[in-house]
Amino acid sequence: MDTIKNRQEKASALLYKGYQAQRQGDLGDAMRLYQESIQIYPTAEAHTSLGWTYNFLHRYEDAIEECRTAIALNPEFGNPYNDIGLYLMKMGKLDDAVPWLEHAIEATHYPYLNLGRIALAKGDLLQAAREFGRALAAEPRSLTARRTLAALSAQLN
């Protein structure tokens, strides 16, 4: 019998295997596993993970499309908003990235880091320091935020 719970468990197992394949650098296998997971039981996490894999292949438009699908499935899941912002940054569309990152802030500290990176890229050290400070407030264990904020503080003094 193919119950919803059964499909969810199979999809979750494939998602985990895809993640493991991705960590080992086997992007082709990761994509296949994520796609199989999605076919069995689509989730925001699986679409976001498939998008992340496309990112490693510089297929940013495909990655953004997967994140949009993830958002449609679960608008409360913050990762795809952050990831769209990151992909837009990589495409050089810094201003387009900002609203996506701001929307993701409720879920994680990564958007603050990325907003800080945009401010750095634009040469706005004060705004960068504010964003990295917000990242550190959201996630006090973030070494990236702590180190970057310390370096910016030294530059600004």
Side-chain angles (χ1 to χ4, degrees):
M1 185 188 279
D2 192 26
T3 66
I4 289 176
K5 183 177 178 179
N6 211 1
R7 288 179 28 227
Q8 287 174 323
E9 288 174 0
K10 287 178 186 176
S12 180
L14 288 166
L15 179 63
Y16 179 75
K17 287 179 182 178
Y19 175 73
Q20 292 300 320
Q22 186 170 323
R23 285 186 52 124
Q24 294 170 1
D26 189 347
L27 300 181
D29 200 33
M31 283 191 306
R32 180 186 60 76
L33 290 161
Y34 292 144
Q35 289 165 343
E36 285 181 31
S37 174
I38 289 166
Q39 286 176 351
I40 292 171
Y41 192 87
T43 63
E45 293 84 355
H47 280 284
T48 302
S49 296
L50 180 56
W52 193 244
T53 304
Y54 287 148
N55 159 65
F56 290 121
L57 298 169
H58 306 282
R59 293 173 53 185
Y60 303 123
E61 294 294 341
D62 292 330
I64 289 170
E65 188 58 36
E66 290 301 324
C67 287
R68 288 182 187 277
T69 302
I71 291 167
L73 287 170
N74 182 357
E76 302 301 313
F77 186 50
N79 292 9
Y81 297 99
N82 181 67
D83 291 355
I84 289 174
L86 177 64
Y87 306 146
L88 290 168
M89 286 171 57
K90 289 182 174 188
M91 295 167 71
K93 299 178 180 182
L94 302 182
D95 291 331
D96 292 344
V98 172
W100 289 99
L101 297 171
E102 288 175 341
H103 190 82
I105 285 170
E106 297 170 8
T108 177
H109 77 291
Y110 291 112
Y112 292 122
L113 294 176
N114 288 328
L115 287 167
R117 290 177 181 126
I118 288 173
L120 281 175
K122 290 181 169 186
D124 188 345
L125 299 183
L126 287 174
Q127 183 63 32
R130 280 192 287 276
E131 297 299 346
F132 283 104
R134 290 167 58 185
L136 193 57
E139 178 50 70
R141 297 171 298 185
S142 173
L143 292 177
T144 300
R146 185 177 310 282
R147 289 177 181 154
T148 306
L149 187 57
L152 284 169
S153 294
Q155 284 181 331
L156 292 171
N157 287 333

